[in-house]
């Protein structure tokens, strides 16, 4: 097997495409292979929300015009379990783009830059001193596992299984109407585990609607999740044929970025935000880091781990602490009340939930004040 590519990326979603695009951006002559079991375009269970933070990363990868795929959605509205409401205009508008469209755009950009797309389901991985071999047929100097929540690459690396407490469960469907065509709407549920329903307006009308629970132990059946969605968003039920379920490995899962020639990115690296369930920004950012580290060969793993720690360390630490507080409905009530009172708290929450932000001392102080006020 003398034909060895520089980089093989398993999974051509946002994380995988970002890895390929970044590697080719830095080294245009590199031989990059994108391997995916699906044929693009393909559907992906997701809320379809693309934050401004994520669009920044796509533009930096040299993929212009992605914003044209969905009109701006300027506002966001959240209702807490206790009925507190905040509705504000975001510092920058987010967009809603079906993953069928968004992912295909990124794959096409990677192929146009020089990556080769191979339709294949990877089942075996062999790490040798100078290469990694996939299914005895594809050899690469470095492999990036970006193959999603049920990652084969992650499992073959011996990564720990995400515990139920660090696994969210969600259902998503498409409804003919949106709660508000200019607003991302989130309705938190009362219950033993943090959960919310959403309605995100789609280009051309309708909405992506869904319901997610931030702990597998509280998820229930698909029918129960759809019933919870119906209760929180009456009159905006999805077409039953469009309803899909999905598990999301949260970033509170134990980290696993080993040394060597195999890297993980996106859901395969368990990077879903534990406060919002958002995964697109984390997928793109980790893919960018993996694409850069992949050019280092045997030193790729150590470089990727260090880069991930620098980029995500404080963000993940803050998210982990706050995700535990979400189990206390009064805290979420106070956070929403503080965001309603102050734009700065709202902006900080958006950065933390949709990007790589952290909780500022000022924002936490306002939440604490709202907590005391709400409890008096």
């Amino acid at each position: 097997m003398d034909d060895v590519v520089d980089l093989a990326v398993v999974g051509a979603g946002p994380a995988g495409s970002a890895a390929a695009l970044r590697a080719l951006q830095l080294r245009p002559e590199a031989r990059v292979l994108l391997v995916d079991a699906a044929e693009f375009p393909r559907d992906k269970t997701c809320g379809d929300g693309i934050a401004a933070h994520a669009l920044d990363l796509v533009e930096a990868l040299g993929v212009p015009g992605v914003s044209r795929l969905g009109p701006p959605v300027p506002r966001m509205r959240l209702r807490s379990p206790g009925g507190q409401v905040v509705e504000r205009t975001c510092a920058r508008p987010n967009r809603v783009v079906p993953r069928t469209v968004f992912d295909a755009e990124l794959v096409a950009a990677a192929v146009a830059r020089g990556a080769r797309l191979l339709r294949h389901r990877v089942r075996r991985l062999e790490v040798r001193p100078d290469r990694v071999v996939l299914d005895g047929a594809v050899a690469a100097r470095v492999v990036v596992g970006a193959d999603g929540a049920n990652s084969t690459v992650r499992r073959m690396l011996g990564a720990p299984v995400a515990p139920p407490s660090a696994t969210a469960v969600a259902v998503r469907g498409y409804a003919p109407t949106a709660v508000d065509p200019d607003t991302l709407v989130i309705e938190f549920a009362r219950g033993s585990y943090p959960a919310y329903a959403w309605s995100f307006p789609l280009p051309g009308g309708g909405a992506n609607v869904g319901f997610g629970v931030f702990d597998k132990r509280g998820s229930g059946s698909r029918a129960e999740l759809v019933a919870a969605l119906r209760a929180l968003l009456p009159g905006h039920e999805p077409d039953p044929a469009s309803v899909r379920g999905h598990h999301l490995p949260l970033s509170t899962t134990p980290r696993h970025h080993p040394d060597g020639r195999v890297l993980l990115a996106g859901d395969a690296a368990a990077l879903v935000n534990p406060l919002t369930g958002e995964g697109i920004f984390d997928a793109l950012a980790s893919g960018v880091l993996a694409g850069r580290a992949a050019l280092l060969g045997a030193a790729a793993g150590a470089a990727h781990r260090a880069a991930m720690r620098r980029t995500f360390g404080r963000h993940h630490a803050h998210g982990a602490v706050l995700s535990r507080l979400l189990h206390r409905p009064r805290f979420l009530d106070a956070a929403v009340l503080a965001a309603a009172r102050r734009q700065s708290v709202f902006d900080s929450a958006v950065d933390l939930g949709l990007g790589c932000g952290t909780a500022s001392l000022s924002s936490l102080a306002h939440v604490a004040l709202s907590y005391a006020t709400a409890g008096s």
Side-chain angles (χ1 to χ4, degrees):
M1 192 181 301
D2 296 326
D3 189 22
V4 182
V5 299
D6 296 297
L7 170 61
V9 184
V10 182
S17 292
L21 284 163
R22 183 57 172 154
L24 288 164
Q25 192 176 45
L26 293 171
R27 190 181 296 170
E29 73 279 7
R31 300 180 62 195
V32 176
L33 182 66
L34 271 172
V35 185
D36 200 290
E39 182 177 357
F40 287 80
R42 56 96 174 96
D43 188 22
K44 191 74 172 179
T45 306
C46 180
D48 294 341
I50 311 295
H53 310 68
L55 291 172
D56 288 344
L57 295 175
V58 175
E59 299 258 346
L61 285 169
V63 185
V66 173
S67 295
R68 77 182 188 283
L69 301 176
V73 181
R75 297 181 67 78
M76 181 179 294
R77 180 165 79 239
L78 293 89
R79 184 188 300 274
S80 75
Q84 298 290 346
V85 177
V86 56
E87 180 172 351
R88 286 186 178 274
T89 299
C90 297
R92 294 183 297 157
N94 304 297
R95 297 173 191 269
V96 182
V97 182
R99 291 287 298 277
T100 305
V101 176
F102 184 73
D103 290 16
E105 187 83 4
L106 294 180
V107 169
V111 170
R113 191 169 292 173
R116 183 164 66 92
L117 180 62
L118 172 66
R119 188 178 182 187
H120 175 76
R121 184 180 299 279
V122 173
R123 302 184 186 278
R124 290 185 295 112
L125 179 150
E126 179 190 356
V127 181
R128 299 180 185 176
D130 64 338
R131 67 188 67 181
V132 181
V133 181
L134 304 175
D135 292 329
V138 174
R141 291 181 175 84
V142 172
V143 165
V144 172
D147 47 340
N150 300 313
S151 171
T152 297
V153 175
R154 178 180 173 88
R155 186 175 65 253
M156 289 188 292
L157 284 178
V161 176
S165 61
T167 303
V169 180
V171 291
R172 170 235 71 184
Y174 291 102
T177 58
V179 174
D180 187 328
D182 295 317
T183 306
L184 302 177
V185 174
I186 294 174
E187 297 272 346
F188 279 90
R190 292 179 178 272
S192 302
Y193 298 96
Y196 72 75
W198 71 83
S199 172
F200 295 167
L202 289 165
N208 180 310
V209 297
F211 182 84
V213 182
F214 287 83
D215 192 313
K216 189 176 181 180
R217 294 170 297 182
S219 61
S221 67
R222 179 182 294 194
E224 289 171 323
L225 295 175
V226 172
L229 165 61
R230 186 182 304 118
L232 287 169
L233 297 176
H236 299 280
E237 294 190 26
D239 176 357
S242 70
V243 175
R244 300 284 185 274
H246 193 46
H247 288 183
L248 302 100
L250 304 175
S251 63
T252 47
T253 300
R255 301 267 58 80
H256 188 75
H257 295 292
D259 287 342
R261 297 179 179 271
V262 184
L263 316 179
L264 295 172
D267 285 6
L271 293 177
V272 175
N273 192 300
L275 304 174
T276 60
E278 202 283 335
I280 301 296
F281 173 85
D282 301 70
L284 290 166
S286 61
V288 167
L289 297 178
R292 182 181 183 88
L295 301 178
L296 301 176
H304 185 52
R305 183 173 61 253
M308 290 289 289
R309 187 182 300 116
R310 287 193 302 270
T311 301
F312 287 104
R314 292 183 68 243
H315 171 68
H316 284 162
H318 286 214
V321 171
L322 292 175
S323 68
R324 291 194 290 272
L325 293 174
L326 288 186
H327 287 263
R328 303 181 180 185
R330 273 192 62 201
F331 170 79
L332 191 50
D333 289 342
V336 171
L337 179 57
R341 288 172 170 173
R342 288 187 174 267
Q343 181 76 40
S344 61
V345 177
F346 176 83
D347 292 340
S348 178
V350 170
D351 288 341
L352 184 61
L354 301 183
C356 205
T358 56
S360 68
L361 289 176
S362 174
S363 293
L364 292 173
H366 288 300
V367 172
L369 179 61
S370 295
Y371 190 94
T373 302
S376 61

